[in-house]
Amino acid sequence: QLFQVGQLETLKSALEGGEVGVDCVPRQLAMGMPDGSAKAGGGQARMTTVRHDGRVLNMTKCQRGASMWHDRDGGNDRRHYRLRNLPPYLEGCILFQLPCYLSGVVEVSLASAATVYTFFVPSPRDGMLPAKLLAAGWQQEKIGGEKNYFDWDGQVGNPELDRFVSVFSKRYESAASFILPKHAGDTLMGLCV
């Protein structure tokens, strides 16, 4: 778990100073190097960031067992929701740990070219975002697998609703910043780059 609170700034400083190579970070973070190369140093490294209501979110490698949401991480006697049954195209991406229920604006700042993925539980807890993303040029991805959904362990509640049933992606060919469309009502989602 390289990217816990406080460690991101340490990593960023080390990359900027050329103290470590980008081989110590997942491939999607290496895209933030100023010249697009696979070497650190030689300029200020920029990192892809996601903010929720102005707060920079923690990130982790998207893989089986990754903590899905920052407020469902097992701390302070909270439930711990860990991803499982991921589609192959999300494996190895960077998962930005949103809160379990969104309460405000989600802003994405890409350091360079990247594909952004969002995924949602069934309506009505999708915040009506899937239709808005499609209207904004996002593409719906096939989840595949036997079940055509993926989910998390540690779940409590309705297994028909507590799972991700839709994934959307958008490719950005260069650095970009954008705000996701405004959500409505309960919104349980994930976001990967």
Side-chain angles (χ1 to χ4, degrees), residues 56-91:
V56 175
L57 299 177
N58 291 337
M59 59 182 118
T60 191
K61 185 176 180 181
C62 188
Q63 62 186 2
R64 180 180 176 81
S67 293
M68 182 63 224
W69 294 294
H70 74 77
D71 57 352
R72 299 295 189 271
D73 61 359
N76 298 322
D77 295 322
R78 294 185 294 240
R79 297 179 185 145
H80 190 187
Y81 296 146
R82 294 172 302 272
L83 283 173
R84 65 181 179 186
N85 307 317
L86 287 162
Y89 54 84
L90 292 180
E91 287 278 350

Side-chain angles (χ1 to χ4, degrees), residues 55-185:
R55 177 183 176 265
V56 175
L57 299 177
N58 291 337
M59 59 182 118
T60 191
K61 185 176 180 181
C62 188
Q63 62 186 2
R64 180 180 176 81
S67 293
M68 182 63 224
W69 294 294
H70 74 77
D71 57 352
R72 299 295 189 271
D73 61 359
N76 298 322
D77 295 322
R78 294 185 294 240
R79 297 179 185 145
H80 190 187
Y81 296 146
R82 294 172 302 272
L83 283 173
R84 65 181 179 186
N85 307 317
L86 287 162
Y89 54 84
L90 292 180
E91 287 278 350
C93 288
I94 299 302
L95 172 69
F96 288 88
Q97 295 170 313
L98 293 161
C100 185
Y101 289 93
L102 291 186
S103 61
V105 174
V106 176
E107 179 184 355
V108 178
S109 296
L110 301 173
S112 65
T115 301
V116 179
Y117 297 94
T118 57
F119 38 97
F120 299 91
V121 299
S123 181
R125 297 186 309 160
D126 63 4
M128 299 184 352
L129 282 173
K132 293 176 181 181
L133 292 174
L134 287 172
W138 290 62
Q139 303 296 312
Q140 186 160 10
E141 299 288 339
K142 292 184 180 184
I143 294 175
E146 291 180 26
K147 301 176 183 178
N148 204 32
Y149 68 84
F150 64 104
D151 59 1
W152 56 91
D153 63 11
Q155 68 186 13
V156 176
N158 186 336
E160 297 297 315
L161 298 176
D162 291 343
R163 59 187 180 181
F164 297 110
V165 297
S166 58
V167 178
F168 300 87
S169 70
K170 188 165 186 178
R171 176 74 186 161
Y172 291 84
E173 296 301 330
S174 61
S177 292
F178 62 92
I179 296 173
L180 289 180
K182 185 175 180 170
H183 58 89

